[in-house]
Amino acid sequence: MAEALHALTASAGPEARAPRHLLRLAPVLTVAAFAVPIACGLVGTLMPAFGYLPAIGGDHWSLDPWRALRDAPGFFTSLQLTLVVGWASTLISVLLALAAAGFLHHRAGAKRLGAVLAPLLAMPHSALAIGFAFLILPSGWVVRWVSPGLTGWTIPPDVGTVGAASGWPLIAALVMKEAPFLLLMILGALNQVRAPAQVAAARALGYGPVLAWFKVVLPQVYPQIRLPIYAVLAFSLSVVDVAIVLGPGNPPTLAVQAVRWFSDPDTARYFPAAAAATLLLGVVLASIGAWWLAERLARPLFRRWLERGARGGASVPASGVVTVAGAVLAVLAVLSMLGMLLWSVARPWRFPDAFPPGLTLETWTRQSSQLAGPAWTTLFVGVASTVLALVLTLACLENESRSTRPVDRTAPAVSARSAVSASVWLLYLPLLVPQIAFLFGLQVLLIRLGLDATVSAVVWAHLVFVLPYLFLSLAEPWRAFDARYARAAASLGASPWRVFWRVKLPILLKPLLIACAVAFAVSVGQYLPTLFAGAGRVATLTTEAVTLSGGADRRVIGTWAGLQALFPLLAYLLATLVPRLLHAHRKGLA
Amino acid sequence: MLQRRDFTFLTTALLTSPWAMAQAPAAWASILGKARGQTVYWNAWAGDEKTNAFIAWVGEQVKSRHGVNLVHTRLKDTSEAVTRVIAEKSAGRNEGGTVDLIWINGPNFLAMKQQGLLYGPVTPSLPNFKYVDVTQKRSNLIDFTTPVDGLAVPWSLAQIVFVYDSARLRNPSELPRSAPAMLDWARRHPGRLTHPKVSNFLGSTFLKQALVDLIADPAVLQLPATDASFAPVTAPLWAWYDPLKPTLWRQGQQFPDNGSAQRQLLNDGEIDITISFNPSEAAASVSAGLLPATVRSFTFRKGTIGNTSFVAIPYNAAHKEGALVVANFLIDPQAQARAQDIQYLGNLNVLDLSTLPASDRARFDRLTPSATLPSAAELGAPLLEPHASWMTRIEAEWQKRYTR
């Protein structure tokens, strides 16, 4: 596996000097940092799924774990729920993102969309889920606004929302996070396609703006958002924290069921748990395969649609409606966050009051001593995993740009392109494999190494997820760096390192800090990796907020989830402010 | 048979205590010495903010008194800690374990005791254990019919009560004071009653309490449930629950995760009656702004089940001395009085107050008063917990019957 990334990032000639040897190790180290734990973890989960885990008495291979899984009460409902939630939220997210991109791409302000979406993306999944739950409960904020005035309800209606068996709140919350993510991915991919010119040409031929986008731009953009879509599909099928907060409890989704069994005092439950985790891996792989197959089947249909050349249709109003639906979801997401913060400063606030009877900082002061420890841990783990990931990523990218010839952008060699796509697949690996499928195996490994329950184990587990995000965010701007600056500096006698520190870093500071903010946000949001690698001993804002969401006082949950949501936001704020302050005197860099 | 076992155990407890007491001062001084500077990881369920605050206070106290650092390992479920010890045992880590102290009882305690995962007996070495009531509060020695054998230190007593809002249920004579009456009430008020999900201990407790109330001779529940006995003994429970379930909140399709989620439903006005395992929880919740001031408690006419929460030390704990110091502090009259004060926690104490020095006894007279607290007479004598196997089987049977 390491070769693929290596092929992309290093092909150093024999003239390479000593420091280059260290750099040349970077791709291997980078791949090892996330591939080794995943590979070991998968093996450690697969073995008990087939009955083998001598430590707890599983000393022969068997299919019993699978029989136990099949016979578990509610197993088929659980599997069905998993599939419905995973597919529905992915399909809706893709539809929303495509429609919004088609509707908005030619409008003023489309470029600033990223800045609007960043806070939504930065918000940890579980914080959003907790806030959304406050909003949509029968006794939640939305019903409180209209009760009893419009509804006549003095007591909340007996209607299931949070935890509804159909899983719709879970789907809605996932869409709130995944649709903006895909939209940003599409907007990013648009930069590499001459979209405005092509759309203009199509419009000159009589196509409407939206139709032109779908017919001309989408086919070029799609290959670049395929992996993000697969990642969304994998994530939605296997998400745990959001499903704990918003999903049905009896039976829950397959991933939550596996986590429950893994934490059962009866060790015999490890076997069906491992089987469930393995099944989930199979479900994810099969779903990605099905999506890929659907792409193949859709291709001739799409081509025929293109060739028919129809101009008309209701594409503008239709995509407008879908975009508005997306905007409503975005507003709900913002309200979820505000509601959470409002609860954290509310005096006792009962149904059907639309607003708290008074505001107070009492909950914050009362909670401060308990919040402090997990908040520092969150900060430390986030910063540590981000810095590690940054060093590895920079080493890889620097190694790549110093190797004989960088990937030639204008006429990419076939081998270079296939190496790029192979390495991108590799980077997406942690986002495509369900967390639960390898975390138990990883925990067993960590215990054997005596590393479990340490902060360093948690940092490592976070690195597995932080690294790909940081690499993917930073690689694009880094490769787009105009090499002439470096050559100019070199011709003035600067060493490669001096060029790196004095020319590249300052110019690329802004994308670098944004990539770090993304990475930090990813770390803050990690629930399952923290739980397993930290053995429940390393408490972060996320693990605490999810733990409390089971039923603690809403004012208290509000402080935890609120702080959890504020951390990544502050990171983003810093990432945008620092270049402005540092480069106030340099036009174009601030 | 049961009585003989109780007797044997009580005798052991009574005989060992004075013996231990004689050696205690020197041994305890050495424990205190070793404990100083240790960091104790107390694995405790963290779903309740007041309990978390109490644990934090215990941490401050043991730090200033004995130099012991206490870290609250926050659990979503006690079983997480049990799993952890099991995982360590299976990985061969027989010392230097990561769990020093567990808040435990019921099936988790039974599992750890059966698998030899507990350190001890520890109670004989604790100077404060002499204050613990081992005659009236029998659940301090018998946890769900499992003899504790000194392997766990009682620190909090619980008894089932039902909590309601007197502003909505105005007529006390209509309160359902038995399981059959509760079914009638639920039929008349559909959607206004629920219980925590059955995999939560309070949820299965709801069913267990109903079972104790429904069957003619609850004594059979003191024996382990068997394949032969389970079906006939629990038949009345399912006959009662089948018609009850569709009348519950959300038509019995959804259940709150735990007691605090259920309390939140009462506060939101989504339901009218909740079950609680803590007689002063309602009062404590009122003062914390978690429930309206109009809530009151009631119990069943035939009485309700009571049990004890313990702390136990895993066999491989890295900081056993520190854990002992924390356990001993938990049964200190000062800690017990604070725990019982609704301003802080509101848990019933495990002590025999008549054994306390007058100054310590007076602490219990100065507790924060509340109209919401049920009197000792209203509570009645706690009934013994059924054997843990009943709870396990009831939970499994419920999952089998109602999870589709």
Side-chain angles (χ1 to χ4, degrees):
Chain A
M1 279 198 292
E3 275 106 66
L5 199 68
H6 193 258
L8 163 74
T9 51
S11 47
E15 78 284 357
R17 287 188 300 273
R20 289 286 297 278
H21 288 304
L22 274 179
L23 267 191
R24 283 176 61 189
L25 281 176
V28 181
L29 270 178
T30 306
V31 171
F34 63 84
V36 167
I38 293 180
C40 296
L42 279 178
V43 173
T45 309
L46 270 168
M47 291 199 307
F50 291 94
Y52 193 79
L53 186 54
I56 53 169
D59 48 9
H60 63 280
W61 303 97
S62 85
L63 288 175
D64 289 344
W66 295 89
R67 286 184 204 107
L69 175 63
R70 182 197 60 200
D71 297 338
F75 164 66
F76 287 101
T77 317
S78 181
L79 181 59
Q80 190 189 339
L81 176 74
T82 304
L83 284 168
V84 167
V85 167
W87 276 88
S89 48
T90 308
L91 285 170
I92 297 172
S93 302
V94 170
L95 182 74
L96 275 178
L98 288 180
F103 186 74
L104 297 171
H105 74 95
H106 61 285
R107 285 163 209 273
K111 289 218 182 294
R112 304 205 35 85
L113 207 57
V116 179
L117 293 177
L120 264 187
L121 281 179
M123 198 165 170
H125 280 84
S126 48
L128 179 79
I130 289 167
F132 188 54
F134 287 171
L135 202 62
I136 60 165
L137 278 169
S139 56
W141 216 11
V142 171
V143 174
R144 287 179 193 216
W145 286 333
V146 292
S147 298
L150 293 176
T151 58
W153 292 330
T154 51
I155 54 171
D158 187 14
V159 182
T161 56
V162 172
S166 64
W168 70 260
L170 178 51
I171 295 173
L174 287 172
V175 170
M176 279 180 196
K177 285 291 294 179
E178 304 311 340
F181 168 69
L182 288 175
L183 182 55
L184 271 190
M185 286 289 154
I186 295 172
L187 293 177
L190 279 180
N191 294 334
Q192 303 183 13
V193 179
R194 281 172 302 151
Q198 294 178 353
V199 167
R203 292 192 69 177
L205 293 172
Y207 290 93
V210 174
L211 209 56
W213 193 87
F214 270 87
K215 287 194 167 183
V216 179
V217 181
L218 178 59
Q220 303 176 64
V221 166
Y222 188 79
Q224 299 185 55
I225 58 164
R226 175 183 285 130
L227 276 174
I229 291 178
Y230 293 172
V232 166
L233 187 58
F235 181 83
S236 309
L237 285 164
S238 58
V239 62
V240 170
D241 49 1
V242 184
I244 288 178
V245 177
L246 289 172
N250 192 43
T253 59
L254 212 50
V256 176
Q257 185 61 269
V259 174
R260 276 194 198 165
W261 281 335
F262 274 134
S263 58
D264 200 285
D266 179 2
T267 48
R269 291 274 169 89
Y270 287 1
F271 294 109
T278 307
L279 176 64
L280 196 61
L281 177 66
V283 166
V284 167
L285 293 180
S287 294
I288 291 175
W291 191 284
W292 179 83
L293 206 64
E295 285 172 8
R296 296 264 142 166
L297 294 176
R299 202 172 290 168
L301 298 175
F302 190 83
R303 180 160 296 167
R304 216 166 300 155
W305 181 58
L306 279 185
E307 285 165 0
R308 265 211 319 275
R311 262 70 164 174
S315 55
V316 174
S319 68
V321 167
V322 176
T323 308
V324 169
V328 168
L329 276 181
V331 169
L332 285 180
V334 172
L335 283 174
S336 300
M337 195 167 164
L338 291 179
M340 204 163 57
L341 290 174
L342 189 58
W343 269 106
S344 76
V345 293
R347 293 192 182 282
W349 178 16
R350 293 206 173 79
F351 190 86
D353 299 337
F355 289 95
L359 299 181
T360 169
L361 284 176
E362 195 195 316
T363 316
W364 282 98
T365 48
R366 208 153 27 91
Q367 286 296 306
S368 57
S369 63
Q370 301 188 45
L371 283 162
W376 282 114
T377 309
T378 307
L379 194 66
F380 176 79
V381 172
V383 169
S385 56
T386 303
V387 167
L388 281 175
L390 182 66
V391 169
L392 286 170
T393 301
L394 286 178
C396 281
L397 292 170
E398 191 60 13
N399 178 53
E400 172 188 312
S401 65
R402 287 190 202 179
S403 42
T404 45
R405 270 200 82 76
V407 180
D408 191 339
R409 225 155 276 288
T410 49
V414 177
S415 63
R417 171 163 276 190
S418 67
V420 170
S421 65
S423 69
V424 170
W425 267 97
L426 202 56
L427 279 170
Y428 265 89
L429 186 70
L431 315 183
L432 297 177
V433 176
Q435 296 187 342
I436 187 70
F438 69 90
L439 282 173
F440 173 71
L442 183 61
Q443 191 186 16
V444 173
L445 178 75
L446 286 171
I447 291 178
R448 292 217 172 266
L449 294 176
L451 280 175
D452 60 311
T454 59
V455 176
S456 26
V458 176
V459 170
W460 189 20
H462 280 212
L463 186 64
V464 171
F465 301 95
V466 165
L467 190 53
Y469 277 104
L470 198 141
F471 198 105
L472 292 168
S473 322
L474 194 53
E476 196 60 44
W478 201 270
R479 287 174 183 152
F481 174 77
D482 191 337
R484 283 173 299 183
Y485 289 117
R487 266 180 246 136
S491 68
L492 293 172
S495 70
W497 283 114
R498 194 170 157 82
V499 172
F500 174 79
W501 287 109
R502 301 300 300 269
V503 180
K504 274 193 178 175
L505 271 191
I507 291 180
L508 291 168
L509 183 65
K510 199 167 157 185
L512 187 143
L513 289 178
I514 292 284
C516 286
V518 170
F520 180 75
V522 167
S523 167
V524 171
Q526 295 300 322
Y527 172 72
L528 221 47
T530 318
L531 205 62
F532 273 83
R537 280 250 308 264
V538 180
T540 62
L541 292 173
T542 297
T543 58
E544 297 309 280
V546 174
T547 303
L548 289 170
S549 74
D553 182 2
R554 287 200 190 114
R555 294 169 295 171
V556 173
I557 304 175
T559 59
W560 287 89
L563 200 58
Q564 187 204 357
L566 281 178
F567 264 42
L569 278 185
L570 291 178
Y572 266 87
L573 201 64
L574 239 98
T576 47
L577 282 184
V578 165
R580 276 186 209 179
L581 295 176
L582 277 183
H583 295 159
H585 60 292
R586 291 187 183 181
K587 204 172 175 207
L589 287 186
Chain B
M1 178 183 157
L2 170 78
Q3 285 164 340
R4 185 168 56 80
R5 192 170 56 190
D6 285 359
F7 176 76
T8 319
F9 180 68
L10 282 173
T11 316
T12 323
L14 290 171
L15 286 178
T16 49
S17 298
W19 171 82
M21 225 69 89
Q23 319 214 336
W28 186 246
S30 131
I31 288 172
L32 283 177
K34 287 183 185 156
R36 188 164 290 279
Q38 287 187 342
T39 298
V40 174
Y41 290 90
W42 184 2
N43 287 238
W45 177 72
D48 178 61
E49 184 211 340
K50 295 182 82 102
T51 311
N52 297 347
F54 180 75
I55 291 174
W57 174 80
V58 171
E60 288 162 21
Q61 293 295 315
V62 292
K63 173 80 186 166
S64 67
R65 290 170 185 223
H66 307 295
V68 174
N69 301 303
L70 183 64
V71 176
H72 179 187
T73 303
R74 291 153 172 262
L75 305 181
K76 202 169 157 62
D77 198 300
T78 302
S79 61
E80 290 165 20
V82 182
T83 312
R84 176 103 203 112
V85 177
I86 292 170
E88 288 177 352
K89 188 180 186 190
S90 58
R93 185 188 283 182
N94 292 322
E95 49 193 56
T98 57
V99 180
D100 293 318
L101 195 65
I102 309 183
W103 172 6
I104 198 168
N105 72 355
N108 288 313
F109 174 72
L110 180 67
M112 291 199 82
K113 190 186 172 201
Q114 275 179 342
Q115 299 185 44
L117 297 174
L118 293 174
Y119 169 69
V122 292
T123 50
S125 57
L126 304 181
N128 285 334
F129 194 75
K130 61 179 180 284
Y131 301 130
V132 170
D133 186 340
V134 291
T135 49
Q136 296 296 313
K137 300 171 179 174
R138 290 206 298 155
S139 58
N140 287 346
L141 295 179
I142 306 161
D143 184 49
F144 292 79
T145 73
T146 304
V148 176
D149 294 346
L151 293 169
V153 183
W155 72 284
S156 163
L157 201 62
Q159 188 180 344
I160 291 174
V161 294
F162 295 95
V163 180
Y164 67 102
D165 186 352
S166 63
R168 276 203 296 277
L169 307 186
R170 286 158 199 272
N171 187 350
S173 66
E174 282 182 11
L175 293 172
R177 291 179 184 275
S178 70
M182 194 159 261
L183 174 58
D184 288 341
W185 185 91
R187 280 182 165 142
R188 276 180 280 120
H189 304 89
R192 305 300 299 170
L193 177 71
T194 190
H195 58 78
K197 66 181 183 189
V198 175
S199 55
N200 176 273
F201 89 98
L202 197 56
S204 41
T205 294
F206 178 86
L207 297 178
K208 202 167 49 181
Q209 174 61 58
L211 179 64
V212 170
D213 203 62
L214 286 165
I215 62 177
D217 178 19
V220 295
L221 302 177
Q222 293 299 313
L223 304 173
T226 63
D227 290 339
S229 67
F230 183 75
V233 169
T234 58
L237 174 65
W238 308 117
W240 172 82
Y241 193 75
D242 280 335
L244 178 75
K245 187 166 178 280
T247 70
L248 296 178
W249 176 78
R250 304 278 187 268
Q251 295 82 50
Q253 299 297 315
Q254 273 187 47
F255 297 92
D257 276 354
N258 50 42
S260 8
Q262 183 197 227
R263 177 183 60 198
Q264 185 75 55
L265 290 177
L266 181 65
N267 190 39
D268 286 339
E270 293 216 14
I271 55 172
D272 285 335
I273 296 177
T274 65
I275 184 172
S276 167
F277 223 131
N278 182 348
S280 52
E281 184 191 284
S285 300
V286 169
S287 66
L290 293 168
L291 284 176
T294 44
V295 294
R296 297 290 181 269
S297 307
F298 69 94
T299 56
F300 281 172
R301 261 185 215 99
K302 287 196 211 165
T304 50
I305 297 170
N307 75 29
T308 298
S309 282
F310 298 85
V311 286
I313 304 173
Y315 80 106
N316 65 347
H319 312 106
K320 296 192 176 76
E321 294 81 13
L324 285 171
V325 168
V326 174
N328 186 57
F329 178 71
L330 283 172
I331 48 176
D332 186 285
Q334 190 193 341
Q336 287 285 308
R338 182 169 171 117
Q340 187 164 330
D341 195 325
I342 54 160
Q343 195 188 332
Y344 303 110
L345 198 51
N347 288 357
L348 295 183
N349 71 78
V350 295
L351 308 182
D352 178 351
L353 296 187
S354 65
T355 64
L356 299 188
S359 61
D360 278 331
R361 201 158 54 233
R363 293 177 187 276
F364 289 86
D365 301 329
R366 293 197 297 266
L367 301 182
T368 314
S370 163
T372 311
L373 276 180
S375 69
E378 283 168 324
L379 277 175
L383 306 176
L384 269 183
E385 281 279 4
H387 188 270
S389 58
W390 291 96
M391 189 148 157
T392 318
R393 281 184 185 239
I394 285 175
E395 185 194 327
E397 178 71 14
W398 187 94
Q399 300 288 7
K400 208 167 87 191
R401 280 172 179 256
Y402 303 107
T403 304
R404 288 284 175 266

